[in-house]
Amino acid sequence: MTIPSFDITDRIVLVTGSSRGIGRTIAEGLAEAGARIVLNGTNSERLESARAELAAVHGNDRIHAYAFDVTDDAASEASVATIEDEVGPIEVLFNNAGVQHREPLLDVSLDDWARVITTNLTSAFIVGRAVARRMTHRGSGKIVNICSIQSDLARPTIGPYTASKGGLRNLTRAMTAEWAGKGLQVNAIAPGYIHTEMTQALVDDENFNGWVLRRTPATRWGKPTDLVGPAVWLASDASAFVNGQVVFVDGGMSVVV
């Protein structure tokens, strides 16, 4: 029996929203597994800093950075074309870019609603389509959308985020329905509560932190590195017959009441 390969050596991977946070950790983990990484963000200074730090470990020829707005269709299409010309064919895309907005639904402005939906959901369609146009032509490729435990569950004050991540779950299914037959595997990772600089205020909130620990069977917050193993698996040939799935990395929170 031949064991499916988890090797992603030299595989070209684009990770959106990867200058910091979860995207940065996923990119770093994939680089350590041998992939060639293309970082993305809109803050050019922060993006270059991230590129330089990773390149110091993995080499300038293995770590690249392209600043573009993933919510801009024309800019994304042009940037994907440039990446493929200058770095090589994108073999794996991680749609990670996202924002949060905490406010009761009755008070959310339409502008804030649209900003969250556009950044978290529409950008995955925009970049995913730009990359898939080339992947389907080649007959192979992988897309991994970063969803959330809020793809299936909801709690007060994050309605736009919940709607966007639920939409991203079903966009993953729609992409599968249309592109699996053309050689693509499209899946998603759904993190639970992950301790990052963006969630530090929640960790510091005694009541909220206690709720997370009681609600999570593993009785801890997740770490960004907890997402690296599933990311490597979905980026590798070992997941060649996995399509349209949402892999929850949440310490068991989504399976208990």
Side-chain angles (χ1 to χ4, degrees), residues 161-174:
Y161 184 85
T162 301
S164 70
K165 292 300 185 176
L168 188 55
R169 173 199 61 200
N170 276 354
L171 177 61
T172 301
R173 295 169 176 171

Side-chain angles (χ1 to χ4, degrees), residues 6 21 35 41 51 55 75 88 99 104 106 118-119 124 159 161 175 180 212 221 243:
F6 289 83
R51 188 208 64 78
V99 295
L106 292 178
T118 300
T119 304
Y161 184 85
M175 288 175 166
V212 169
W221 286 72
N243 238 319

